[in-house]
Amino acid sequence: MTATTLDEQQIRCSFCAKSKTEVNKLVAGPGVFICDTCVELCITVLDLPKSASAVEIPWSDSMTDEQILEFLPRIGAVSAQVDASLRLWVERLRDRGVTWARIGAALGMARQSAWEKFSGEE
């Protein structure tokens, strides 16, 4: 696997699915990213009284079918981004000699399932 720099990757916010070119800043986590707009929303939510009910964004309720269909590729891109990062972390563990059994256990799957998903072999 060829590692690419963050500048070369098509990074998206893991929360709103906007691409890195659509936001001012992205903060990186292990396989996920959050944009400045979503951080501001998080701060607002965290400032709510503890007794306030969980805040949900009613995207699907206020969106038309066409808008949701247009949004699906962005969600798919975020999913692919997280999956690629997971593969990279597994590759790092394998480079360190960590067994498929341990990797599978950490992911809540059998050794064989982990190997099939991440080894690249058939």
Side-chain angles (χ1 to χ4, degrees):
M1 174 181 281
T2 304
T4 57
T5 67
L6 290 179
D7 287 336
E8 296 169 329
Q9 296 176 25
Q10 296 299 316
I11 297 169
R12 292 186 172 275
C13 175
S14 302
F15 292 83
C16 68
K18 289 180 183 171
S19 74
K20 66 182 178 184
T21 59
E22 297 175 282
V23 300
N24 290 323
K25 290 185 180 182
L26 281 168
V27 178
V32 295
F33 298 86
I34 187 168
C35 71
D36 54 317
T37 303
C38 288
V39 168
E40 289 175 18
L41 177 61
C42 290
I43 291 168
T44 301
V45 170
L46 292 172
D47 284 343
L48 292 174
K50 193 172 186 177
S51 62
S53 61
V55 176
E56 293 183 32
I57 300 173
W59 287 339
S60 60
D61 295 340
S62 63
M63 295 171 75
T64 66
D65 292 348
E66 286 304 314
Q67 289 172 317
I68 294 172
L69 287 168
E70 290 173 11
F71 197 63
L72 286 181
R74 291 169 59 175
I75 296 169
V78 170
S79 176
Q81 175 178 289
V82 171
D83 191 50
S85 180
L86 180 58
R87 289 182 183 284
L88 182 60
W89 283 93
V90 168
E91 183 179 305
R92 288 175 181 162
L93 287 170
R94 291 296 298 153
D95 288 346
R96 291 180 176 192
V98 176
T99 66
W100 286 114
R102 288 184 65 200
I103 293 168
L107 293 171
M109 63 176 61
R111 173 200 63 80
Q112 183 67 27
S113 297
W115 179 84
E116 288 172 1
K117 184 170 183 168
F118 299 107
S119 73
E121 298 178 30
E122 293 185 25

